[in-house]
């Protein structure tokens, strides 16, 4: 077990190294000059050259990367080109908000998705099943910007049940979590349904029913634990899906997370921030997958992990 | 030495009474109150040497002061931290008498040494200031820029409150430069204490001081009780909330939670707001020193042919484009916006005439039209405007493929001589740094901008015009100001003949405010302190 | 000799007809198939289905103040912010969205299935490497790649299809890996192995059929996801450039206006939804029909 964990750790570090190299190279190739962004539109050629030298951007690619890497292992993510503030400060001040939002979204999507999926599986081929299928597909097809604004408009502006965006209390968390979670709930509900149907058909389930166990007991003790396996694998993917949606949802609800930070940095070619956010999200994804794998192991011990 | 200077410095002497008396205070203004202003983008920095964003520009103006300033809501210069100034006969030496009793937010009194420190800091390459280039005319600038010197030779102290600035050549725009944020006065000890973090911990002499900054969420400005201009600011506090989507900010304004949406009325809500009299009454409309234009790359055929460029000018239906943006602009005939001194009144420009355009194209040898590319920034409404332009071009036989890219990518393409044949400037269009005709020339139409990575995307370089602009800017005598503006007008008229640009429209600014906001309308569409002049507005409740 | 061939042929043909007959009995599946065919038809024959040009910005397509026209009259689904007929743009947009939703999504599904099943079945060193590869692809900054590509190459539909396929296969891979790993541990697989069955036979006969439900879920939901993803990528400059319509980019460029002009978001969204649902109906029916444990239950 320890051996497995250590192996995964080493592999994860290699992955992070790989991501950092790929990102750095892509940013280098980006046909947009970060120095020009810093120097602004009124700068003379001299000013531009000065800034380029100050930031070490006149050095060859591998020299720049090496300097970055050596800083990284000491915990220094560098300073933003445009703000001059330390990247670690910027990320640290915004990461908790994004993590909170992700937690809220995972809760919302599991709640909505799993319940819809279980009901659909139990009421298979009825009108209820069809309707839930349509609802799931709507959840996946609806653009998050529109969903967010719609929820905001109806529940915050018209009904006044929630604040109009913002951050700080539980009631601020509800609408953005639902918005971010609706997309995922469509996936979870379909997967849960299909997984449940598969499991309910298995012999051991029929055996349990034949033995006289109540339906509920069969579902919760025998069907669910097996049906849940692919769901756990999906939670690991969630973080990747969220990365896309988080920019939109955070902007609509004024949620002070890293999505906004990343988006602005990409537009302004603020390389240190882009590197920092990419690495942080890579770490999150790697940890997420690792946790998902470990949980799968606990739920279904028959899965022997790779030797 | 001193006598020598005293006798030659007679001709132009400007000793005006202390600033507040010049501007008539609003009789309705009352002190007190807080307001909430929203922005979408996070505030990058409040360091006056570095901040060059649309939202931190006016915030920095409220935290810092420079030697010169503007009358609120206008483009008229007035003295700022400098109580008075004299200019030598030849226009090369400016002597500023600094005010006494001005305190920084940390309590220390400002001296002339602080001015010297501030100018040396902004021109020092290690500061990485985007505005260093504005100080080109000060003697010793070149040495600073190349790193050979660490102090400007031309900026010296002549007494505890006198600053003497010597130029290397006469510069008619110099006083405007003194009013730029980059020329703000900063205290050395605060800068050295914060180092690179001064942008998050600003200390200045301005009407407000920074009370709180929660990164990514809000900034709070508090009234500077010891501000040197009597009676202002009126507000006790301003809260800037960042990360707010413009549509949501407007919803919150309608709900009474926000006083001024800093990014303006989003295009999607414009009709709804203006269609409701109650809301429309709280919208202030004003001109901006802005022009939106299409650049035609004079180095890429067939745009190296002036007739082709003129034909393109005649092909664009500006009224239709303005209709597409809900009428929020006026058609432009020339590079300068109408409110800029030096604007040529009565000039009609190239009228919309597709037939004449086709004829001119044929004359140039392109009767069959040609294929080209139009670059545009990808945020709304610019791709729509580009598509309207594309249709207009198709009307005279030009097939333009659209390349809708991120802003940084378009800027990069424009900075290469052989990449972007046409660029719609929307989202990157020129807004004046200061209200002077010269500001629309240098980086975007002058030879100095036609370099790799430059902003002269039409790569237009007319040496004769460059010389003319230099001589126009050498006219520092205010009595000859009219002559100088004449020269600038001629310069821009020549440019229109050569047609490296298609000026399309001058965007109007619309600022919406909550019912409790007071103050003259001009303050809400202040041409210099964009978007709102925080020092002079007040609340009525 | 001829007789045995005849018999085999007859058996094969009747099995074929059996599938088709079973399919034809499911009304919903037929309906789904009809929708898919109709979409393809619209994409191919769009110029004949409508009198407007998708890129024609018409004078009477906007109100005097520059607002789009709501559905009704000569513009059945209304016009967009440049005065272009929405119905026409949706019909032409089917071309782009079909290519993305079917080809790009399909390719991603294929790669994901191959990687996930291989990793889950063989495990060990191979499985570990493949899974770490998926981790890497998940963390990969796809947006940056898109921006780079956009500026370097001519924007093209095939580039965006490729980018989507590259980025999107990881999710299917992870889920199928978990399911395959669980399945491969079942006793009957071990039994088959001892009987001498080859890997391919086990995979095709025993494992893949159990994975079909998941593959169908992923394939059909993926249509919506990839179509919307195409819109984000084209916003960054990769893929179709304005004025070429796609369902995703019509939604994207008009989403801030959805309060003032909801039809601009609703109708293309409905189109995406319908296509995904249609494939789902067809897929579900096929899965039921082809499922060995279900055969004969009709």
């Amino acid at each position: 077990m320890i051996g497995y964990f250590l192996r995964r750790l080493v592999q994860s570090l290699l992955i992070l190294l790989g991501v950092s190299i790929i990102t750095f190279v892509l940013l280098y190739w980006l046909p947009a000059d970060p120095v020009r962004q810093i120097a602004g539109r009124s700068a003379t050629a001299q000013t531009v050259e000065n800034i380029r030298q100050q930031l070490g951007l006149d050095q060859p690619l591998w020299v720049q990367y090496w300097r970055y890497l050596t800083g990284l292992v000491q915990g220094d993510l560098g300073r933003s080109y445009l703000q001059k503030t330390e990247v670690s400060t910027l990320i640290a001040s915004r990461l908790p908000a994004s993590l909170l939002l992700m937690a809220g979204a995972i809760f919302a999507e599991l709640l909505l998705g799993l319940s819809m999926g279980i009901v659909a599986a139990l009421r298979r081929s009825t009108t209820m099943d069809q309707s839930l299928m349509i609802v799931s597909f709507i959840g996946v097809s609806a653009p998050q910007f529109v969903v967010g604004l719609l929820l905001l408009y109806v529940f915050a502006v018209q009904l006044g049940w929630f604040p109009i965006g913002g951050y700080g209390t539980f009631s601020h968390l509800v609408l953005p979590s639902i918005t971010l979670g609706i997309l995922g709930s469509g996936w979870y509900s379909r997967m849960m349904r299909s997984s449940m149907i598969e499991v309910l058909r298995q012999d051991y389930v029929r055996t349990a029913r034949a033995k006289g166990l109540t339906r509920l007991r069969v579902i919760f003790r025998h069907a669910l634990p097996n049906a849940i396996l692919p769901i756990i694998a999906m939670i690991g993917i969630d973080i990747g899906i969220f990365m896309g949606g988080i920019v939109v949802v955070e902007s609509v609800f004024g949620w002070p997370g890293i999505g906004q930070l990343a988006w602005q940095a990409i537009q302004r070619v603020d390389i240190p921030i882009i590197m920092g956010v990419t690495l942080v999200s890579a770490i999150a994804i790697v940890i997420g997958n690792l946790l998902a794998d470990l949980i799968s192991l606990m739920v279904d011990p028959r899965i022997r992990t790779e030797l | 030495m001193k006598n020598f200077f005293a006798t030659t410095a007679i001709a132009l002497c400007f000793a005006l009474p202390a600033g507040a008396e010049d501007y008539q205070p609003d009789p309705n203004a009352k002190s007190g109150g807080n307001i909430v202003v929203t922005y979408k983008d996070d505030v990058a920095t409040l360091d006056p040497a570095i901040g060059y964003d649309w939202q931190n520009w006016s915030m920095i103006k409220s935290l810092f002061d420079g030697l010169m300033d503007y009358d609120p809501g206008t483009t008229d210069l007035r003295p700022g931290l400098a109580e008075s100034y004299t200019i030598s006969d030849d226009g090369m030496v400016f002597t500023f008498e600094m005010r006494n009793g001005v305190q920084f937010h940390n309590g220390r009194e400002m001296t002339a040494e602080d001015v010297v420190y501030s100018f040396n800091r902004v021109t020092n390459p290690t500061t990485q200031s985007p505005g260093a280039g504005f100080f080109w005319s000060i003697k010793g600038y070149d040495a600073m820029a190349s790193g050979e010197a660490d102090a400007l030779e031309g900026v010296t102290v002549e007494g505890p409150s006198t600053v003497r600035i010597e130029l290397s050549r006469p510069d008619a725009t110099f006083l405007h430069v003194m009013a730029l944020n980059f020329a703000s006065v900063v205290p050395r000890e605060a800068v050295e204490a914060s180092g690179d973090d001064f942008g998050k911990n600003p200390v200045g002499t301005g009407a407000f001081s920074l009370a709180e900054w929660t990164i990514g969420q809000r900034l709070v400005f508090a009234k500077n009780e010891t501000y040197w201009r009597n009676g202002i600011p009126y507000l006790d506090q301003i809260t800037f909330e960042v990360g707010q989507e413009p549509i949501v900010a407007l919803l919150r304004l309608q709900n009474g939670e926000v006083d001024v949406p800093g990014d303006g009325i989003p295009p999607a809500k414009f009709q709804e707001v203006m269609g409701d009299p109650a809301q429309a009454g709280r919208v202030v409309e004003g001109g901006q020193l802005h022009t939106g234009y299409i650049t035609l790359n004079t180095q890429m055929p067939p745009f190296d042919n002036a007739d082709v460029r003129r034909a393109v000018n005649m092909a664009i239906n500006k009224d239709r484009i303005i209709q597409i943006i809900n009428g929020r602009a006026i058609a432009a005939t020339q590079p300068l916006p109408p409110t800029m001194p030096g604007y040529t009144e009565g000039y009609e420009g190239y009228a919309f005439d597709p037939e004449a355009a086709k004829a001119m194209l044929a004359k140039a040898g392109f009767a069959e039209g040609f294929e080209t590319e139009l670059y545009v920034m990808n945020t709304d409404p610019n791709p729509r405007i580009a598509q309207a332009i594309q249709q207009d071009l198709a009307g005279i036989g030009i097939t333009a493929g659209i390349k809708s890219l991120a802003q940084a990518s378009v800027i990069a393409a424009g900075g290469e001589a052989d990449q972007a044949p046409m660029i719609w400037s929307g989202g990157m269009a020129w807004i004046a740094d200061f209200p002077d005709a010269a500001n629309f020339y240098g980086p975007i139409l002058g030879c100095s901008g036609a370099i790799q990575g430059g902003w002269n995307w039409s790569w237009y370089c007319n040496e004769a015009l460059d010389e003319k602009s230099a001589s126009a800017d050498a006219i520092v005598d205010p009595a000859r100001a009219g002559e100088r503006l004449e020269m600038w007008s001629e310069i821009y008229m020549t440019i229109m003949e050569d047609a490296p640009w298609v000026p399309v429209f001058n965007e109007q600014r619309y600022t919406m405010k909550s019912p409790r906001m007071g103050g003259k309308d001009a303050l809400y569409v202040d041409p210099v302190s964009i978007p709102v002049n925080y020092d002079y507005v007040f609340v009525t409740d | 000799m001829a007789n045995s061939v005849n018999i085999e042929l007859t058996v094969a043909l009747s099995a074929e007809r059996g599938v088709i007959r079973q399919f034809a009995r499911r009304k919903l599946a037929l309906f789904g198939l009809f929708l898919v065919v109709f979409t393809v038809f619209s994409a191919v024959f769009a110029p004949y289905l409508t009198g407007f040009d998708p890129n024609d910005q018409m004078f009477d397509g906007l109100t005097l103040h520059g607002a789009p026209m709501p559905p009704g009259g000569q513009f059945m689904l209304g016009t967009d912010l440049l005065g272009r007929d929405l119905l026409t743009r949706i019909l032409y947009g089917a071309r782009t969205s079909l290519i993305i939703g079917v080809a790009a999504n399909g390719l991603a599904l294929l790669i994901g299935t191959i990687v996930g099943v291989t990793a889950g079945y063989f495990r060990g060193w191979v499985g570990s490497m493949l899974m770490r590869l998926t981790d890497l692809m998940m963390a990969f900054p796809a947006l940056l790649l898109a921006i780079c590509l956009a500026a370097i190459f001519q924007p093209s539909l095939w580039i965006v299809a490729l980018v989507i396929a590259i980025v999107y296969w990881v999710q299917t891979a992870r889920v199928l890996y978990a399911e395959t790993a669980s399945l491969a541990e079942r006793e009957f697989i071990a039994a088959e192995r001892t009987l001498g069955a080859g890997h391919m036979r086990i995979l095709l006969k025993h494992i893949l059929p159990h994975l079909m439900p998941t593959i169908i879920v992923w394939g059909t939901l993926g249509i919506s996801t990839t179509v919307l993803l195409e819109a984000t990528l084209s916003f960054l400059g990769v893929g179709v450039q304005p004025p070429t319509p796609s369902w995703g980019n019509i939604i994207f460029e008009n989403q801030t206006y959805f309060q003032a002009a909801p039809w601009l978001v609703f109708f293309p969204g409905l189109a995406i939804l319908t296509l995904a649902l249609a494939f789902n109906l067809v897929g579900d029916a096929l899965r039921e029909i082809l499922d060995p444990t279900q055969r004969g239950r009709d």
Side-chain angles (χ1 to χ4, degrees), chain C residues 22-200:
Chain C
Q22 286 183 46
F23 194 87
R25 269 198 233 134
R26 291 168 155 78
K27 295 213 193 52
L28 277 181
L30 279 180
F31 180 59
L33 190 63
F34 166 70
L35 284 177
V36 173
V37 169
F38 176 70
T39 311
V40 175
F41 182 77
S42 318
V44 173
F45 293 106
Y48 302 99
L49 292 174
T50 160
F52 296 110
D53 182 287
N55 301 327
D56 187 16
Q57 303 161 24
M58 295 170 278
F59 179 70
D60 46 351
L62 292 176
T63 66
L64 282 173
H65 293 290
M69 307 286 289
Q74 57 168 329
F75 305 117
M76 270 180 57
L77 296 182
T79 59
D80 74 355
L81 294 164
L82 279 166
R84 299 177 293 204
D85 179 48
L86 185 63
L87 176 62
T88 313
R89 285 181 72 74
I90 289 182
L91 287 175
Y92 277 80
R95 297 179 179 179
T96 314
S97 303
L98 270 175
I99 291 178
I100 295 297
V102 177
N105 186 42
L107 184 61
L109 198 62
L110 186 66
I111 301 175
T113 306
I114 293 176
V115 171
V117 171
T118 312
Y121 184 72
F122 290 106
R123 242 85 59 69
W125 186 81
V126 169
S128 183
M129 278 298 107
L130 284 175
M131 280 298 109
R132 296 297 79 76
L133 177 66
T134 57
D135 278 354
L136 183 70
M137 291 310 296
M138 253 195 250
F140 184 80
L143 280 186
L144 282 180
L145 178 67
I147 299 178
C148 279
L149 288 177
I152 298 174
F153 295 105
Q154 277 303 317
S156 138
L157 191 54
W158 300 106
I159 291 188
V160 76
L162 201 62
V163 173
I164 289 177
I166 290 176
V167 162
Y168 193 62
W169 62 264
V170 288
Q171 304 178 12
T172 324
R174 269 205 76 78
V175 175
L176 288 179
Y177 163 74
E179 285 199 30
T180 311
S182 167
L183 275 172
E185 286 311 302
R186 301 260 183 90
E187 297 77 24
F188 72 93
I189 301 287
E192 288 278 332
R193 293 285 291 132
T194 49
L195 283 177
H199 288 304
M200 274 311 278

Side-chain angles (χ1 to χ4, degrees), chain C residues 236-257:
Chain C
L236 293 171
V238 184
V240 297
Q241 287 289 298
T244 317
S246 81
W247 296 343
N249 75 20
I250 297 178
I251 293 180
F252 209 83
E253 58 183 29
N254 298 306
Q255 56 187 8
T256 52
Y257 285 83

Side-chain angles (χ1 to χ4, degrees), chain A residues 8 11 22 26 30-31 124 130 133 141 150 153 187 190-191 198 201 237 289 293 302 304 306, chain C residues 28 123 128 132 135 138 140 148 151 168 171 174 177 185 210 218 224-225 259 280 288 291:
Chain A
R8 283 295 289 265
Q11 289 169 348
I22 294 173
L26 278 178
L30 209 60
R124 187 181 173 188
Q130 316 281 8
M133 168 177 76
S141 312
L150 207 52
Y153 192 69
W187 289 88
R190 300 300 295 161
M191 278 305 292
E198 272 296 294
R201 281 189 336 195
I237 306 170
N289 282 343
D293 284 347
R302 291 182 301 170
R304 279 179 303 109
E306 48 266 31
Chain C
L28 277 181
R123 242 85 59 69
S128 183
R132 296 297 79 76
D135 278 354
M138 253 195 250
F140 184 80
C148 279
Y168 193 62
Q171 304 178 12
R174 269 205 76 78
Y177 163 74
E185 286 311 302
H210 286 284
W218 235 263
S224 306
T225 312
Q259 242 187 315
N280 186 58
E288 269 187 27
D291 188 346

Side-chain angles (χ1 to χ4, degrees), chain B residues 110-290:
Chain B
M110 180 201 72
T111 67
E113 289 290 345
D114 293 310
V115 179
V116 177
Y117 172 74
S118 305
F119 284 11
N120 287 337
R121 176 176 186 254
V122 79
T123 49
N124 192 321
T126 52
T127 312
Q128 298 175 33
S129 168
F134 285 112
F135 300 87
W136 62 272
S137 56
I138 297 183
K139 187 169 177 192
Y141 172 74
D142 291 326
M144 280 295 277
S146 61
E148 285 159 18
D150 62 359
L152 284 166
E153 196 189 322
V155 180
T156 51
V157 168
E158 280 199 344
S161 48
T162 311
V163 179
R164 176 182 183 274
I165 303 183
E166 189 178 334
L167 305 181
S168 54
R169 63 206 105 142
D171 178 8
T173 64
F174 187 69
L175 286 176
H176 284 294
V177 175
M178 289 295 101
L180 280 177
N181 283 0
F182 299 109
S184 300
V185 180
V186 299
R188 169 191 290 252
E189 69 277 9
V191 173
E192 286 174 353
S194 302
D196 277 328
D197 291 319
F198 184 66
K200 294 277 189 283
N201 302 291
V203 174
T205 59
F208 290 91
S209 64
L210 181 69
E212 177 202 324
W213 189 338
T214 313
I215 296 183
Q217 295 183 46
R218 89 182 69 85
L219 292 83
V220 179
F221 281 14
K223 176 176 181 169
N224 179 2
E225 303 288 348
T226 55
Y227 191 50
W228 51 271
R229 275 195 213 278
N230 290 330
I232 60 164
Y234 299 113
L235 295 167
D236 279 338
Q237 186 179 296
I238 308 177
T239 306
F240 293 96
E241 296 190 1
V242 296
Q244 302 278 315
E245 180 71 35
I247 293 185
V248 179
L250 200 74
L251 284 176
R252 294 181 65 209
L253 169 70
Q254 291 167 334
N255 209 41
E257 294 173 30
V258 165
D259 290 293
V260 180
D263 297 308
I265 309 173
K269 301 284 256 171
F270 188 73
Q271 297 236 277
E272 176 200 319
V273 166
M274 298 307 272
D276 170 18
Q279 293 186 69
R282 288 186 277 117
V283 175
V284 181
E285 180 184 343
Q288 295 186 89
L289 293 170
H290 161 282

